[in-house]
Amino acid sequence: NYVQGEAILTVWRQIYSVMELPFHLKVYCIYLCVFCPSIEISTRQLCQLWIAEGFIPYNSEETAEYYLKELIHRGFIQVSKRRAGGTIKACYVPSLVYYSLLLVAEKTRFVLMPNKEEESLATVKRCFILEDLIEFISLEQSDMYLQSFLNHSSESDHLALIDCENFCENFKYLRVLNWGSAVLDQFPPGLENLFLLKYLQLNIPTLKCLPLLICTLLNLETLEMPAGYIDHSPEGIWMMQKLMHLNFDSITLPAPPKNYSSSLKNLIFISALHPSSCTPDILSRLPTVQTLRISGDLSHYHSGVSKSLCELHKLECLKLVNGSKLSRMVLSEYQFPPSLIQLSLSNTELMEDPMPMLERLPRLQVMKLKRNSYFGRKLACVGSGGFPELQVLT
């Protein structure tokens, strides 16, 4: 009883702490309850969701990271992983904090976790579920106010296309749609009508070609298909000017249409771009990309990749993953942009010491030589002023 009493008292203290927060922090804090308690949260995903919800002025990731650190400082979030350079990679919400936030969220109807069939979504803007996705989407619900739906069920439910179509018909004004681990056979019909959508996460393992209909989602900022291996994308993707994040197992971008001069000027994150898309014509249309992962046969597309990276003048984090076991990568011919801060190499099977070349990068702070990246016997820095800012070598 004493332990239970202490837990209840702690919850009420947390509720009081939430209510005492400045208004802008209160919104970010209460939103944390859309994640499961004590479960690891990707800080990249959290910041993307805050932006998609419209919480962050000017869609600034720097602002989102500032507020994240503020909530960590106040004890609402705990850090669980850091990147090699020290930035926060993952975090979690402690259980007692979580249930305090959930009480506030449900009381204010800021967020709702439906727990019974008759519970109405009327006037609720955000809804998340932890189980029974198929049962939920089969309900006869329609709500013009719902802006966000997130599925955090650990089950890989197989969604029928008719259920997906009905869901999109019932909730036309969604800005955030995360179907989580639920499996789809093909791109769901009706999704192209969610014209306000800013954040979309899908799991369609068999999809190889992005449909042209996705290009109608002109407000889309984040497209997450981490299990998707896309070998063909429509030219219309170049019209999606608000795109900020593309996250796939692999995606091939098409050459820009002829006589089309615009670029994806807001795109800052791509993972993983197929090497065939690393041409000067394509990379020069991605002027603000800061984080890029390239995965595939780097040797086969060596000429394009090695000469095109210098087009990315704002690139800070680059990961190169060689997918070929038949040939090796020649790093000495690569033209890296001087803006590079982090570089990671995997399966590149380098024979030549990469240090004499890489030590000339003026801003490089983190260098990771991962599995099968280098087959030589030694690494040597030959220049006296080499690696002026290097902090981490793994």
Side-chain angles (χ1 to χ4, degrees):
N1 288 338
Y2 173 78
V3 174
Q4 289 178 343
E6 282 293 306
I8 293 171
L9 184 59
T10 301
V11 168
W12 280 109
R13 284 173 180 159
Q14 292 290 349
I15 292 174
Y16 178 77
S17 298
V18 173
M19 302 312 294
E20 288 293 300
L21 287 172
F23 178 77
H24 63 282
L25 274 182
K26 195 179 299 182
V27 172
Y28 304 127
C29 188
I30 297 175
Y31 189 79
L32 295 172
C33 70
V34 303
F35 297 96
C36 301
S38 300
I39 297 298
E40 198 166 78
I41 305 167
S42 162
T43 54
R44 180 180 63 83
Q45 182 190 33
L46 176 59
C47 291
Q48 288 171 6
L49 286 169
W50 278 346
I51 290 172
E53 292 282 0
F55 299 158
I56 306 294
Y58 310 110
N59 290 351
S60 168
E61 289 208 336
E62 291 79 9
T63 302
E65 290 171 3
Y66 171 81
Y67 290 136
L68 174 67
K69 291 177 181 177
E70 186 69 19
L71 291 177
I72 291 170
H73 175 71
R74 293 172 181 258
F76 292 102
I77 305 175
Q78 298 293 320
V79 177
S80 58
K81 282 183 183 177
R82 289 186 180 271
R83 298 181 180 90
T87 57
I88 303 166
K89 183 177 183 179
C91 59
Y92 68 94
V93 182
S95 294
L96 287 177
V97 174
Y98 173 83
Y99 290 111
S100 305
L101 296 176
L102 189 60
L103 283 172
V104 175
E106 293 190 334
K107 186 70 174 178
T108 59
R109 295 186 75 78
F110 181 83
V111 175
L112 181 67
M113 179 176 66
N115 53 22
K116 44 184 180 289
E117 290 186 9
E118 64 271 15
E119 187 149 25
S120 172
L121 294 180
T123 73
V124 173
K125 289 188 176 182
R126 299 166 191 89
C127 169
F128 72 99
I129 60 173
L130 303 178
E131 58 185 359
D132 300 326
L133 172 63
I134 293 178
E135 181 180 349
F136 175 83
I137 66 173
S138 63
L139 297 177
E140 292 296 326
Q141 298 235 38
S142 179
D143 188 76
M144 65 177 295
Y145 295 101
L146 195 68
Q147 294 181 2
S148 305
F149 177 82
L150 300 99
N151 169 39
H152 291 308
S153 171
S154 58
E155 300 174 2
S156 299
D157 296 312
H158 198 97
L159 297 184
L161 292 181
I162 186 63
D163 287 336
C164 296
E165 187 172 11
N166 290 337
F167 180 91
C168 294
E169 176 66 26
N170 291 337
F171 302 106
K172 295 180 180 179
Y173 302 101
L174 285 172
R175 296 180 184 179
V176 172
L177 176 56
N178 181 348
W179 264 323
S181 59
V183 179
L184 294 161
D185 287 331
Q186 65 185 63
F187 193 80
L191 196 61
E192 69 276 7
N193 298 321
L194 304 183
F195 59 93
L196 294 178
L197 208 59
K198 293 185 175 184
Y199 181 102
L200 175 61
Q201 180 168 334
L202 299 171
N203 181 19
I204 319 177
T206 58
L207 188 69
K208 301 299 180 185
C209 177
L210 275 183
L212 181 60
L213 287 174
I214 200 170
C215 301
T216 62
L217 301 177
L218 296 179
N219 286 303
L220 198 64
E221 296 170 351
T222 297
L223 179 56
E224 294 257 353
M225 296 179 60
Y229 193 97
I230 305 299
D231 54 27
H232 178 78
S233 303
E235 284 188 345
I237 198 170
W238 292 101
M239 310 297 179
M240 301 174 72
Q241 293 290 298
K242 294 187 179 181
L243 274 177
M244 295 177 65
H245 309 92
L246 289 175
N247 186 24
F248 292 77
D249 184 41
S250 176
I251 182 170
T252 300
L253 292 179
K258 291 182 179 179
N259 303 320
Y260 183 73
S261 59
S262 294
S263 60
L264 295 179
K265 59 182 180 298
N266 291 305
L267 191 60
I268 59 176
F269 178 97
I270 310 176
S271 180
L273 189 63
H274 192 273
S276 63
S277 297
C278 297
T279 65
D281 192 27
I282 290 178
L283 295 191
S284 64
R285 307 294 184 97
L286 309 174
T288 57
V289 167
Q290 298 174 7
T291 300
L292 174 63
R293 182 174 184 263
I294 302 174
S295 180
D297 191 343
L298 295 174
S299 302
H300 183 75
Y301 297 99
H302 171 79
S303 178
V305 180
S306 62
K307 297 176 182 178
S308 303
L309 288 173
C310 59
E311 299 285 348
L312 302 173
H313 303 297
K314 294 192 176 182
L315 186 65
E316 295 181 353
C317 179
L318 174 64
K319 299 179 181 180
L320 297 175
V321 182
N322 187 28
S324 172
K325 296 182 179 180
L326 301 178
S327 54
R328 295 185 171 95
M329 179 178 163
V330 182
L331 195 68
S332 59
E333 297 179 13
Y334 272 65
Q335 300 174 19
F336 294 110
S339 57
L340 207 59
I341 294 175
Q342 298 185 36
L343 176 63
S344 172
L345 305 177
S346 299
N347 295 321
T348 49
E349 300 186 357
L350 300 175
M351 297 303 295
E352 295 181 12
D353 183 356
M355 293 302 196
M357 176 196 174
L358 297 179
E359 69 178 0
R360 298 195 297 267
L361 293 173
R363 298 185 61 199
L364 192 66
Q365 297 177 10
V366 177
M367 187 166 70
K368 294 183 178 181
L369 300 177
K370 295 190 172 182
R371 185 175 181 180
N372 296 331
S373 60
Y374 177 53
F375 283 175
R377 291 178 175 270
K378 64 178 182 178
L379 295 169
C381 300
V382 296
S384 59
F387 292 117
E389 295 192 18
L390 191 66
Q391 299 174 13
V392 178
L393 174 60
T394 60

